[in-house]
Amino acid sequence: MSDNTFDREIDDAWTELQDRLTGYVHAMEDDDELVLQSQYDSVDEGLVETAACVRFFAWAGDKVRCEVPSNRFLHPARALTAEEHERLIELGWNRPDLCEHVGEGNGSASYYLDADREDAHLLASMTVTVFREIWDLLHPSFLKAITAGRDETAEFGTADVPAQLRDGTGLRDRVDAAVEAMLEQEPGKDADGDILVWVGDLPTYVRVIEEDARVEVFARVVHTISDRTRTAEALADLNRQWPDIKFLLIVDNVVAVMRVDGSPFVADHLVSVFRMFEQFVDTIDDAFAERLGGKLNSTPEATSSSADHECVDEFPAALVTLIHLDSEIGLDPDDVAEICGRDRDTILEFLRLCSEQEVEWRHNAELAREEDAEEAAMCEDESRAWAKTKESLRAALRVVVLPHRSANKRGRQSGLFELPSEPKLFDGFAD
């Protein structure tokens, strides 16, 4: 599907919502209430702060009041700018005129408009403009409808999430646009396509994983850890202190990770993640790094990443090359052997490193399983990625150690049924 086709489908979806909203508002009866609200906004439990929404209330026989919440009610992540205030007035809403400092008015602390229900088309058009321009919602499927009032008040259905938003297609472009809007400039990227964003003095990266429809924001916070046991104990306290950020001990690094759902992707969620990172970075210094037994990171090159492995730059260059290429295009045993210089000792060393990482990540998954299923799943994915690289290296070792046997095997068609008891080379290699 082309971008133009997808854009037209989005426009059509908003037009369809506007038409349905027009009919619904026109048919409302006194005391009927409808609230259209962003279902992906993060609102703290127990607070009066409101998500992005527009409210309709039918009254006085043929009237309906339409309201957009002011900053007095909005969640801080949705606070309106001065330009957005003026845009609401330009669209036709009245300024809030009921607050501590104003004694007169028509009775709303929100932006409001009282209209005849016959003018429902006007209110529907204004509402769609607010969600698209002010709230920056990509698709009407991001909305949920809340109805109240009479027992007979009709429900208002919202749209389904389109497949292109649900499966992560085009996610990278939407993330790029969200980061550019946040930085007010085109973001820089590393060789892997990860976006570099400086949070204070900490280089932080945004990685888009389209096949899993998710976005990861990560940063190597501390490096050159000298005592892993001591650091692991400190990380337990750190994860309790910052429950929204996952702190992982990877080789001799402490890496902070947050995830954003890409199905669908909501730009404000990514902005909220960076706000959280900013709050965290404001609390760290050299003393913080010393408590973790390492050094504070401030070098962007050190946090470059691959598609399947964390912190691969801590490993030999040949192994890093193998990880990148094997995950991106797949390699046959000859390719892997060539990358390793067809050196048996090099392959054996890489096998040892991969085995250690596979076991370590599997152990991390077990530790996280009871407290955080998402972190456990991430650790399991990492363990499987190292296991895949290990199997590629085992195949390459056969090529290097037994080249004639490997050539004969490539020249012979495999039998339909292989003997399951036939021993395989290196089956005894320690995992």
Side-chain angles (χ1 to χ4, degrees):
M1 179 187 296
S2 69
D3 290 341
N4 288 339
T5 301
F6 185 52
D7 290 342
R8 285 197 300 271
E9 289 190 0
I10 289 178
D11 289 339
D12 290 345
W14 283 109
T15 299
E16 191 270 340
L17 174 74
Q18 181 174 320
D19 291 343
R20 287 194 299 110
L21 184 58
T22 297
Y24 186 93
V25 172
H26 187 273
M28 290 177 77
E29 298 185 23
D30 282 5
D31 297 328
D32 285 349
E33 183 176 359
L34 168 66
V35 178
L36 293 180
Q37 176 176 305
S38 170
Q39 62 177 321
Y40 297 108
D41 278 15
S42 175
V43 180
D44 297 327
E45 192 69 28
L47 297 181
V48 298
E49 296 168 318
T50 305
C53 67
V54 178
R55 174 180 177 266
F56 301 85
F57 181 75
W59 63 293
D62 60 354
K63 297 290 186 183
V64 62
R65 168 164 289 195
C66 184
E67 292 185 327
V68 176
S70 64
N71 285 349
R72 182 178 181 184
F73 303 105
L74 285 171
H75 189 277
R78 284 296 192 185
L80 299 169
T81 65
E83 292 77 11
E84 289 166 341
H85 283 285
E86 294 307 315
R87 179 59 174 149
L88 286 171
I89 304 306
E90 180 183 324
L91 288 171
W93 269 278
N94 298 301
R95 297 180 185 274
D97 57 18
L98 180 66
C99 62
E100 297 89 342
H101 309 296
V102 179
E104 298 179 357
N106 291 320
S108 181
S110 299
Y111 295 88
Y112 70 95
L113 178 63
D114 293 322
D116 293 335
R117 291 173 212 171
E118 294 293 331
D119 295 326
H121 64 284
L122 174 62
L123 296 178
S125 175
M126 292 167 62
T127 297
V128 168
T129 301
V130 166
F131 281 121
R132 298 193 72 176
E133 286 190 21
I134 305 296
W135 302 136
D136 198 25
L137 263 65
L138 179 62
H139 193 273
S141 60
F142 290 17
L143 296 171
K144 66 178 178 181
I146 303 170
T147 55
R150 302 174 301 117
D151 293 337
E152 301 84 7
T153 298
E155 298 295 324
F156 183 86
T158 52
D160 294 329
V161 178
Q164 189 165 354
L165 295 182
R166 192 169 55 245
D167 63 14
T169 304
L171 178 59
R172 188 175 301 276
D173 290 339
R174 296 195 294 277
V175 171
D176 286 351
V179 175
E180 184 171 348
M182 181 179 70
L183 299 179
E184 298 183 344
Q185 63 182 19
E186 185 176 353
K189 294 184 179 181
D190 67 7
D192 299 314
D194 295 333
I195 301 171
L196 170 61
V197 178
W198 284 90
V199 180
D201 293 328
L202 182 68
T204 305
Y205 286 83
V206 182
R207 174 193 299 164
V208 178
I209 307 173
E210 288 190 308
E211 59 270 25
D212 293 334
R214 75 172 188 267
V215 180
E216 289 184 351
V217 179
F218 63 96
R220 186 174 76 157
V221 182
V222 175
H223 63 91
T224 320
I225 295 295
S226 58
D227 186 339
R228 289 173 54 83
T229 301
R230 166 190 168 190
T231 304
E233 293 173 353
L235 286 189
D237 293 334
L238 198 59
N239 277 309
R240 283 191 291 270
Q241 182 182 355
W242 298 91
D244 294 323
I245 306 175
K246 303 305 173 188
F247 296 93
L248 305 174
L249 178 58
I250 303 171
V251 191
D252 62 347
N253 303 275
V254 172
V255 177
V257 182
M258 291 186 75
R259 282 184 170 180
V260 179
D261 188 11
S263 176
F265 173 71
V266 181
D268 282 338
H269 289 182
L270 184 61
V271 174
S272 296
V273 163
F274 274 101
R275 286 198 181 104
M276 180 64 68
F277 261 98
E278 286 177 346
Q279 293 175 20
F280 165 68
V281 170
D282 286 343
T283 69
I284 65 176
D285 52 20
D286 289 336
F288 168 86
E290 290 176 6
R291 287 195 297 273
L292 292 179
K295 298 178 180 179
L296 202 62
N297 182 45
S298 61
T299 307
E301 290 79 5
T303 46
S304 177
S305 64
S306 74
D308 291 299
H309 293 288
E310 299 282 358
C311 289
V312 294
D313 286 348
E314 298 305 313
F315 299 99
L319 180 55
V320 174
T321 301
L322 170 61
I323 289 169
H324 281 290
L325 295 180
D326 199 26
S327 64
E328 292 174 3
I329 61 176
L331 297 172
D332 63 29
D334 277 323
D335 293 331
V336 177
E338 190 67 31
I339 291 172
C340 297
R342 296 189 176 273
D343 182 77
R344 182 197 63 181
D345 292 340
T346 296
I347 297 175
L348 288 172
E349 174 62 14
F350 289 178
L351 275 168
R352 182 188 66 79
L353 291 171
C354 288
S355 296
E356 287 178 353
Q357 289 302 304
E358 179 189 4
V359 171
E360 181 171 346
W361 281 102
R362 191 186 307 130
H363 177 66
N364 289 342
E366 291 298 326
L367 293 177
R369 200 175 310 282
E370 293 185 2
E371 296 185 3
D372 193 320
E374 183 178 346
E375 180 178 345
M378 183 174 68
C379 293
E380 287 171 352
D381 288 344
E382 190 68 25
S383 178
R384 284 191 289 269
W386 284 106
K388 178 179 180 294
T389 302
K390 184 178 69 176
E391 291 307 311
S392 297
L393 286 163
R394 280 177 167 168
L397 189 58
R398 295 186 183 95
V399 171
V400 171
V401 177
L402 299 172
H404 299 298
R405 177 174 175 177
S406 299
N408 292 336
K409 189 172 183 180
R410 288 195 298 274
R412 176 178 61 86
Q413 181 178 351
S414 298
L416 183 61
F417 299 103
E418 298 287 349
L419 292 176
S421 59
E422 181 180 358
K424 294 181 173 61
L425 191 62
F426 309 115
D427 277 349
F429 192 92
D431 287 341

